[in-house]
Amino acid sequence: MGVFDHVKGDGYEQIVYCIDDHSGLRAIIAIHSTALGPALGGTRFYPYENEEAALVDVLRLAQGMTYKAAAAGLDLGGGKAVIIGDPRRIKSEELLRAYGRFVDSLGGRYITAEDVGTELADMDTVKRESRWVTGCSATHGGSGDPSPVTAWGVVQGMKACALEAFGDASLKGRTVALQGVGKVGRALCGYLVEEGAKVTIADIDVDNLARAVNDFGVETTSLDAVHKMEVDIFAPCALGGIINDDTISDLRCKVIAGSANNQLARDEHGDKLKDLGILYAPDFVINAGGLINVEDELRGYDRDRAMQKVEGIYRAMQMIFTMASEQHISTARAAVQHAQDRIRKISRIRLVRTTTYGPDNY
Ligand code: NAD
């Protein structure tokens, strides 16, 4: 396969391979689009089976970030990075700072943040080599862990779903099956219990499960039963690809609204959900809270302002539902269309030149 074959026709701008033999760094930074602004997306640190799997993942994730930023109304493009390897074995100050040098070399075309396998302290380390880092700790001028803000955004999206599906935005008394009580799922569980929802959880990590039961008094179910529950809302907050050929016919919920990225294994699963009468909250719209939060950091972080912007997810979701119903398409397709429309429109207005030529331009 040729080196450009993976990116044919999908509008990618740049792929950067980062190598540092001393620290063992092997990373790939993918910039999908800077049409709306600098490409912002997290750094995933993961023991990929091979380099091709890492490339496929980073490309898919970078494109997802373009849509997420566009649909959230942000002036940001989409990018992502992956560091190849087991973070528990190879993560070191030297490696992270070597990576930071590569981020810096892009001069702000790519801005990074934490993702699976990286955490707040890692971003603080990367920041020692580059200012193009968000999601640092508050002591380093950052906004801290974005997960609770992501969860807050999911609550807003769920309320819009409840209004659409049940005619009432309140979550009081609604039954919710929550898959995954990690950083986002745990915060979401707390918010839902406060709202008066009846939550049942499942998690592969028994410590996370026990902690949530202890703190919120919720019920549990088994790993393979959670998506089959007859509930108002199924909230996937663990893995991608949970809506797939094997699981889709098991679903007994009326709404799917959760934080996991890439919930649909394929686009056609969105169409199938529509046919089944299950309202799907497009993942990159409902889980944009964390991105909205780190974007605020670029202008000097203000928590109240960030939370207020995150509440806009409610309206964004309503707009997607209207678009989907007017055009008789799935909510997943409506969300992609909305993001692509915005990129096209804003790119067009930027064709107007706002500076005049002077001697320096010749
Ligand atoms: P996390 O790793 O903290 O939590 C994931 C949880 O899911 C863990 O408790 C894990 O044990 C559990 N889990 C894994 N496999 C499972 C399975 N088969 N069944 C049930 N539980 C399982 O991750 P997170 O930061 O909470 O993110 C959750 C999802 O939301 C991910 O898909 C992530 O990409 C997405 N997301 C997160 C953020 C954020 O701000 N953290 C923002 C946008 C999207």
Side-chain angles (χ1 to χ4, degrees), residues 44 68 114-116 145-151 179-186 202-205 208 223 226 236-240 259-261 287-291:
R44 184 163 289 192
K68 191 183 292 201
E114 69 172 84
D115 196 74
V116 175
D145 178 9
S147 310
V149 190
T150 300
Q179 181 184 48
V181 279
K183 294 194 290 287
V184 180
R186 181 186 158 71
D203 198 300
I204 206 164
D205 182 321
N208 283 356
L223 292 176
V226 64
C237 294
L239 310 168
S259 75
N261 276 314
N287 73 14
L291 177 65

Side-chain angles (χ1 to χ4, degrees), residues 19-348:
I19 303 150
D20 179 63
D21 283 335
H22 286 283
S23 63
L25 174 73
R26 288 281 183 286
I28 310 172
I29 299 172
I31 296 178
H32 175 252
S33 168
T34 54
L36 294 183
L40 197 155
T43 301
R44 184 163 289 192
F45 204 143
Y46 191 77
Y48 290 99
E49 256 177 42
N50 53 52
E51 289 164 2
E52 180 159 358
L55 178 61
V56 168
D57 202 33
V58 76
L59 291 173
R60 188 180 53 101
L61 291 164
Q63 186 180 42
M65 291 308 294
T66 299
Y67 291 155
K68 191 183 292 201
L74 302 173
D75 288 337
L76 288 176
K80 201 87 181 185
V82 295
I83 299 178
I84 302 168
D86 184 346
R88 285 168 304 184
R89 286 187 45 241
I90 67 163
K91 196 191 280 180
S92 67
E93 179 191 346
E94 187 190 8
L95 181 145
L96 289 171
R97 291 182 72 161
Y99 170 65
R101 302 291 291 178
F102 284 101
V103 171
D104 202 58
S105 74
L106 292 168
R109 274 176 55 71
Y110 169 67
I111 303 173
T112 199
E114 69 172 84
D115 196 74
V116 175
T118 54
E119 54 197 48
L120 221 59
D122 301 331
M123 291 306 113
D124 291 344
T125 305
V126 176
K127 197 160 191 180
R128 291 170 75 174
E129 299 299 335
S130 178
R131 65 192 178 103
W132 306 113
V133 184
T134 56
C136 299
S137 56
T139 46
H140 286 73
S143 56
D145 178 9
S147 310
V149 190
T150 300
W152 183 239
V154 174
V155 173
Q156 310 312 311
M158 266 189 192
K159 287 184 175 177
C161 289
L163 182 64
E164 181 76 9
F166 313 117
D168 179 359
S170 169
L171 298 174
K172 194 169 167 48
R174 292 278 160 227
T175 49
V176 182
L178 173 51
Q179 181 184 48
V181 279
K183 294 194 290 287
V184 180
R186 181 186 158 71
L188 178 61
C189 188
Y191 287 135
L192 290 174
V193 169
E194 268 174 36
E195 295 275 340
K198 191 172 174 307
V199 186
T200 306
I201 61 172
D203 198 300
I204 206 164
D205 182 321
V206 287
D207 293 335
N208 283 356
L209 197 68
R211 205 153 64 96
V213 169
N214 192 42
D215 291 352
F216 307 120
V218 290
E219 301 285 315
T220 64
T221 187
S222 67
L223 292 176
D224 63 344
V226 64
H227 70 278
K228 300 177 186 165
M229 287 186 71
E230 198 161 337
V231 283
D232 293 321
I233 303 171
F234 169 48
C237 294
L239 310 168
I242 176 65
I243 313 298
N244 56 46
D245 291 341
D246 295 333
T247 58
I248 201 157
S249 55
D250 292 336
L251 296 169
R252 296 288 176 270
C253 56
K254 299 183 187 75
V255 169
I256 299 176
S259 75
N261 276 314
N262 303 317
Q263 290 171 31
L264 305 178
R266 293 194 315 277
D267 292 346
E268 303 82 74
H269 292 121
D271 305 332
K272 184 82 191 291
L273 290 177
K274 176 176 175 288
D275 295 344
L276 289 169
I278 298 174
L279 182 67
Y280 171 64
D283 46 18
F284 65 81
V285 180
I286 197 168
N287 73 14
L291 177 65
I292 296 169
N293 191 55
V294 292
E295 190 266 352
D296 196 83
E297 203 176 310
L298 297 173
R299 53 190 90 225
Y301 187 60
D302 179 328
R303 178 87 173 180
D304 291 342
R305 183 177 58 198
M307 290 300 255
Q308 221 176 349
K309 278 193 273 179
V310 168
E311 284 167 17
I313 289 176
Y314 182 89
R315 267 201 339 275
M317 201 62 72
Q318 284 186 307
M319 200 186 54
I320 303 283
F321 295 152
T322 305
M323 205 170 150
S325 107
E326 282 175 0
Q327 297 183 31
H328 310 290
I329 55 176
S330 72
T331 53
R333 291 195 193 275
V336 171
Q337 199 172 305
H338 165 59
Q340 288 174 339
D341 281 353
R342 181 164 177 264
I343 294 168
R344 200 173 39 249
K345 286 177 183 160
I346 304 303
S347 304
R348 190 192 60 72

